């Protein structure tokens, strides 16, 4: 970095030519795109798990910074600085997540003569610590949620404070964000266990297990205000985003503007945010997050001293490139926009596509994405492609889809259509779940609050997809025509005599047994116990099948890998295992054998039982952490623990047996 003399206003300018992005995936690609448009060189960093990733290929240069686990390479400040020096980078953009709100990285950049594209280390420390940020906001007159953020972090002291605040209370990690280390506690009996879990998750995510307590505001909206400040003393806000649709306190759907915020409320919240950041001389992009209570009162909860995942919706309605603003401010230039010049046009909605299984408590998923297709009419931020790996070490978000329309409903319809066009085969995702959220009357009417998913989970999860006879028939037909060697040659019309072929496959955790008969007219008659469906293939390619079902021409997208068939039909995607050539197995329930299997690859962070212990149905048995989230494993049936096959700290793979329960 080469410094320039102070401008006539006394402000020191900076000069840099090459930006290293200390992040990965779609985050890195997003920053690379704008940096290139502005004429900057780009450098990517990567772990061995990301050696073939798109962001590595997209940058002008790339530097390997180490193994993905157990210490995440992207959290190694020393390696990030070394990579900048080795590649000739003179500025570092941290993206969002990982080191984006790390004051030590900002300090290290200053010591190494590098420009940190973000706020000062002092501002990060003040606002990155939730308790310190709350103190700053209270001093600036911004309303805050009552709570406790003291130095005494003992269980006894925290339990006393929670009782004094009054249940329900929110446990929150003092460091970091993204919903990690956050738990809603409704009573004193569950407080100790929730506290232990929150501290463990915070320690794993941020290296800091300190927590704070807040009075829980029931059924609020989550509203955030986007702000920018520069070293010339200017500060503006770019309106609000509504981030109320969440699972595990992590956002899934964001929109701008909020359907609940009036122009008058926007002005008040924006003015409070600008006043607060002016008070600390904030420089760069930031977001102040608020809870909006049903009575219209709003309360500050935290500040993110970085660019947000959901920044594209603000870009869509304001027409501004927020990364470009960050880069200009880092150069020492003024924001260049006055508050009265900020205009919001239309409506924008973003959904986060995550590698997770909504039907199993949103457990993170990993593996190889065999087939990946995204809609062309939407803005898509992703870093995947056919055959790409989704590693178990990082956040579960793998893509973002963003729509922009003249009205909220136009934006919602565009996004819903885009989700229906998505194809993600090989790794379980939440795409169908997101479509159900957008289609739900509560969301469609703009009435979703932070309890939306919890309150409507039964409506948002598929009820009969894995038990639907038509789905079974389509699966059997595609298994038949993709079999190598085929069970019956060909799929067109034939006058040859045929006989029913028994088929078995595992779909949605259930063993399905059917009979498939090739009719002389070319139809596939699939039957089971008391039901039958007939299908006719009209066109078949390597990944696309067009067929008639009940007089309607339909389309299924599929890919076959050995005994595994992955299928997208309608809204839902399925993965099934062909067992036709495998010896008969007993039992149709995945829990019938009493085996506790890992629902994802990850690290064992807790073993809750010992051999010989009696356990009740749904009792916590083993907890696994992956993609910065914890998942507690249990069985629907109780029994006696016959074996515990893992220990705390073990790395496990998906479907690995963790324990055996004698039922």
């Amino acid at each position: 970095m080469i410094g320039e003399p102070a401008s006539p206003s006394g402000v020191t300018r900076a000069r840099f030519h090459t930006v290293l992005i200390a992040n990965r995936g779609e985050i890195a690609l997003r920053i690379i795109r704008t940096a290139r448009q502005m004429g900057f060189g780009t450098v990517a960093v990567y772990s061995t798990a990301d050696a073939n990733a798109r962001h590595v290929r997209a940058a002008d240069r790339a530097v390997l910074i180490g193994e993905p686990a157990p210490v995440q390479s992207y959290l190694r400040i020393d390696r990030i600085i070394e990579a900048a020096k080795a590649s000739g980078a003179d500025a570092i953009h941290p993206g969002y997540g990982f080191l984006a709100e790390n004051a030590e990285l900002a300090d290290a950049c200053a010591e190494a003569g590098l420009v940190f594209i973000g706020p000062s280390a002092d501002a990060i420390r003040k606002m990155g610590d939730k308790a310190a940020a709350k103190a700053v906001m209270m001093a600036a007159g911004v309303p805050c949620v009552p709570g406790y953020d003291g130095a005494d972090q003992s269980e006894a002291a925290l339990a006393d404070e929670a009782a004094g605040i009054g249940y329900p209370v929110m446990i929150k990690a003092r460091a970091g964000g993204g919903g990690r280390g956050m738990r809603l506690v409704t009573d004193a009996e569950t407080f100790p266990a929730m506290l232990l879990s929150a501290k463990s998750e915070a320690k794993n995510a941020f290296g800091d297990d300190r927590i704070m307590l807040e009075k829980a505001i029931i059924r609020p909206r989550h509203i955030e205000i986007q702000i920018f400040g520069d070293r010339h003393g200017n500060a503006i806000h770019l309106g609000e985003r509504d981030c109320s649709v969440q699972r595990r306190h992590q956002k899934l759907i964001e929109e701008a503007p909020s359907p609940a915020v009036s122009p008058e409320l926007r002005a008040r919240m924006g003015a409070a945010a600008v006043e607060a950041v002016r008070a600390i001389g904030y420089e760069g992009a930031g977001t102040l997050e608020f809870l909006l209570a049903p009575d219209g009162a709003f309360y500050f909860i935290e500040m993110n001293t970085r660019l947000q995942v959901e920044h594209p919706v603000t870009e869509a309605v304001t027409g501004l490139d927020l990364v470009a603003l960050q880069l200009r401010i880092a150069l020492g230039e003024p924001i260049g926009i006055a508050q009265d010049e900020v205009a919001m046009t239309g409506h924008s909605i973003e959904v986060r596509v995550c590698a997770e299984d909504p039907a199993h408590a949103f457990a993170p998923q990993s593996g190889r994405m065999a087939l990946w297709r995204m809609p062309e009419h939407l803005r898509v931020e992703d870093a995947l492609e056919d055959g790409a790996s989704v590693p178990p070490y990082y956040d579960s978000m793998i893509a973002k889809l963003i729509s922009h329309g003249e009205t909220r409903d136009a934006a919602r319809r565009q996004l819903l259509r885009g989700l229906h066009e998505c194809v993600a085969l090989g790794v379980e995702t939440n795409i169908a779940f997101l479509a159900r959220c957008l289609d739900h009357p509560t969301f469609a009417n703009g009435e979703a609050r932070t309890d939306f998913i919890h309150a409507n989970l039964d409506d948002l999860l598929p009820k009969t997809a894995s038990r639907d006879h038509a789905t079974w028939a389509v699966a059997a037909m595609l298994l038949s025509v993709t079999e190598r060697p085929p069970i019956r040659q060909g799929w067109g019309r034939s006058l040859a005599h045929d006989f029913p072929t028994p088929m078995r496959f595992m779909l949605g955790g259930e063993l399905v047994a059917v009979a498939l008969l090739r009719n002389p007219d070319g139809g596939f008659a699939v039957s089971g116990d008391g039901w039958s469906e007939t299908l006719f293939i009209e066109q078949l390619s390597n990944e696309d099948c067009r067929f008639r079902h009940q007089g309607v021409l339909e389309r299924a997208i599929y890919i076959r890998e050995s005994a595994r068939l992955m299928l997208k039909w309608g809204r839902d995607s399925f993965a099934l295992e062909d067992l036709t050539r495998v010896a008969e197995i007993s039992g149709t329930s995945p829990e019938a054998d009493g085996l506790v299997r890992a629902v994802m690859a990850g690290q064992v962070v807790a073993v809750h039982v010992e051999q010989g212990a009696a356990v009740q149905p749904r009792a916590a048995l083993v907890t696994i952490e992956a993609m910065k989230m914890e998942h507690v494993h249990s069985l629907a049936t109780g029994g006696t623990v016959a074996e515990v096959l893992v220990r705390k700290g073990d790395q496990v793979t998906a479907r690995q047996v963790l324990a055996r329960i004698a039922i």
Side-chain angles (χ1 to χ4, degrees):
M1 184 265 294
I2 301 174
E4 292 185 345
S7 66
S9 63
V11 174
T12 301
R13 299 294 182 95
R15 183 188 300 163
F16 55 86
H17 306 282
T18 302
V19 179
L20 180 146
I21 299 95
N23 221 296
R24 64 183 296 275
E26 61 87 15
I27 305 167
L29 286 169
R30 166 68 188 94
I31 297 162
I32 287 171
R33 184 171 69 244
T34 290
R36 278 188 167 164
Q37 290 171 354
M38 295 180 68
F40 295 108
T42 58
V43 177
V45 292
Y46 64 97
S47 72
T48 52
D50 286 334
N52 297 314
R54 276 177 54 197
H55 78 275
V56 177
R57 305 198 305 268
D60 299 320
R61 295 181 176 180
V63 181
L64 175 66
I65 53 175
E67 300 291 331
V71 178
Q72 291 187 1
S73 304
Y74 297 98
L75 295 177
R76 290 289 300 271
I77 294 174
D78 55 341
R79 293 181 180 176
I80 298 294
I81 299 298
E82 290 169 4
K85 292 178 178 179
S87 62
D90 44 11
I92 291 181
H93 194 306
Y96 33 90
F98 290 132
L99 296 170
E101 296 178 281
N102 190 291
E104 285 71 27
L105 176 60
D107 283 334
C109 286
E111 292 172 8
L114 304 169
V115 174
F116 179 72
I117 301 173
S120 67
D122 181 61
I124 293 174
R125 288 190 176 94
K126 283 182 179 177
M127 306 308 288
D129 184 299
K130 295 182 181 69
K134 190 173 179 179
V136 171
M137 293 300 147
M138 292 177 70
V142 179
C144 297
V145 180
Y148 171 77
D149 51 29
D152 191 342
Q153 293 282 302
S154 67
E155 179 182 321
L158 292 168
D160 287 344
E161 292 293 340
I165 294 169
Y167 290 98
V169 299
M170 190 70 74
I171 300 174
K172 299 175 69 175
R174 286 185 61 161
R180 273 79 181 188
M182 186 181 295
R183 300 291 186 275
L184 175 64
V185 188
T186 57
D187 54 69
E189 287 71 27
T190 58
F191 183 84
M194 290 288 197
L195 176 64
L196 179 64
S197 177
K199 290 173 76 72
S200 171
E201 190 172 73
K203 183 70 173 178
N204 288 334
F206 315 120
D208 185 347
D209 68 354
R210 294 176 302 152
I211 63 94
M212 57 189 290
L213 304 175
E214 287 182 348
K215 178 68 177 175
I217 307 299
I218 304 303
R219 300 198 71 242
R221 288 181 185 263
H222 188 129
I223 306 295
E224 59 188 32
I225 303 292
Q226 175 71 61
I227 62 91
F228 276 89
D230 63 28
R231 67 189 64 173
H232 300 264
N234 302 310
I236 62 169
H237 73 85
L238 303 181
E240 83 285 351
R241 297 185 286 257
D242 194 315
C243 308
S244 299
V245 179
Q246 306 174 2
R247 53 95 176 92
R248 289 183 169 179
H249 308 293
Q250 293 176 307
K251 305 162 189 172
L252 278 186
I253 303 177
E254 302 100 351
E255 57 183 309
S258 167
V261 174
S262 66
E264 184 273 335
L265 180 57
R266 178 178 303 121
R268 285 198 294 127
M269 295 181 76
V274 168
E275 185 63 30
V277 298
R278 270 209 180 104
I280 62 170
Y282 190 83
E283 181 181 328
T287 305
L288 277 77
E289 304 203 6
F290 297 89
L291 293 180
L292 180 62
D295 63 2
F298 62 91
Y299 303 92
F300 171 82
I301 50 175
E302 65 182 25
M303 180 177 183
N304 295 294
T305 54
R306 55 173 167 82
L307 195 68
Q308 291 279 84
V309 174
E310 56 272 19
H311 76 274
V313 296
T314 297
E315 292 184 326
V317 297
T318 63
L320 300 171
D321 184 326
L322 302 197
V323 175
L325 275 177
Q326 283 187 297
L327 292 168
R328 288 203 295 269
I329 290 169
L331 288 167
E333 298 177 6
I335 296 171
I337 305 165
Q339 188 64 63
D340 59 5
E341 294 176 316
V342 176
M344 300 177 73
T345 303
H347 201 97
S348 181
I349 307 176
E350 171 183 290
V351 293
R352 302 189 188 193
V353 176
C354 299
E356 63 185 20
D357 184 357
H360 292 88
F362 301 95
Q365 305 293 297
S366 59
R368 177 179 173 273
M369 189 65 75
L371 202 61
W372 179 254
R373 301 286 183 270
M374 290 291 104
E376 297 182 355
H377 70 283
L378 298 177
R379 174 174 172 178
V380 177
E381 302 280 351
D382 73 325
L384 290 181
E385 57 194 343
D386 291 355
S389 172
V390 179
Y393 313 107
Y394 311 118
D395 190 271
S396 63
M397 190 185 77
I398 54 176
K400 302 181 304 190
L401 275 60
I402 305 99
S403 66
H404 182 226
E406 292 185 3
T407 66
R408 182 177 186 272
D409 201 52
R412 185 186 67 87
R413 292 195 308 270
Q414 287 180 23
L415 194 50
L416 192 57
R417 174 66 184 175
L419 285 168
H420 293 335
E421 294 177 3
C422 289
V423 179
L425 299 180
V427 179
E428 185 82 18
T429 74
N430 65 342
I431 289 173
F433 180 84
L434 291 169
R436 291 185 179 91
C437 287
L438 293 182
D439 214 15
H440 194 280
T442 298
F443 182 86
N445 294 331
E447 299 170 350
R449 299 180 182 272
T450 54
D451 65 344
F452 168 73
I453 288 178
H454 177 75
N456 299 285
L457 192 58
D458 288 345
D459 295 333
L460 301 175
L461 292 175
K463 293 183 177 63
T464 60
S466 66
R467 296 175 179 270
D468 182 72
H469 297 153
T471 301
W472 293 352
V474 173
M477 176 184 70
L478 288 173
L479 281 174
S480 174
V481 299
T482 58
E483 177 73 5
R484 297 292 184 269
I487 296 174
R488 291 287 185 270
Q489 293 284 353
W491 54 266
R493 290 171 172 76
S494 171
L495 297 177
H497 186 65
D498 210 342
F499 299 94
T501 300
M503 303 181 69
R504 292 184 300 113
F505 50 88
M506 189 67 74
L507 174 62
E510 183 169 358
L511 180 65
V512 178
V514 301
L516 181 143
L517 176 65
R518 292 292 310 280
N519 293 327
D521 61 359
F524 292 77
V526 184
S527 60
D529 185 11
W531 63 271
S532 64
E533 298 278 352
T534 301
L535 311 166
F536 296 86
I537 292 181
E538 299 291 344
Q539 184 179 359
L540 185 70
S541 66
N542 287 337
E543 61 183 46
D544 197 325
C545 178
R546 296 183 182 273
F547 62 94
R548 280 187 290 119
H549 174 238
Q550 296 181 350
V552 178
L553 185 62
E554 303 202 37
R555 181 190 187 197
I557 299 174
Y558 70 94
I559 188 167
R560 176 81 181 257
E561 292 182 345
S562 187
R564 192 177 188 220
L565 176 73
M566 292 154 278
L567 163 69
K568 165 73 181 291
W569 180 38
R571 286 189 173 190
D572 295 296
S573 297
F574 312 94
L576 52 124
E577 195 78 13
D578 186 9
L579 302 175
T580 301
R581 300 181 185 273
V582 179
E584 192 76 38
I585 61 174
S586 61
T588 59
S589 169
E591 296 188 345
D593 52 11
L595 298 181
V596 183
R597 296 176 173 87
V599 298
M600 59 188 179
Q603 183 178 46
V604 176
V605 295
V607 177
H608 304 284
V609 295
E610 297 179 351
Q611 185 173 337
V615 293
Q616 298 297 314
R618 304 292 184 189
L621 303 173
V622 179
T623 298
I624 291 176
E625 191 272 339
M627 295 180 173
K628 304 180 184 179
M629 295 173 64
E630 291 188 354
H631 185 82
V632 180
H633 290 65
S634 63
L635 286 184
T637 54
T640 302
V641 179
E643 289 182 285
V644 178
L645 302 173
V646 293
R647 295 177 297 179
K648 182 178 179 180
D650 286 354
Q651 292 286 335
V652 299
T653 59
R655 304 300 297 163
Q656 180 176 331
V657 177
L658 310 174
R660 182 170 64 85
I661 308 299
I663 299 173

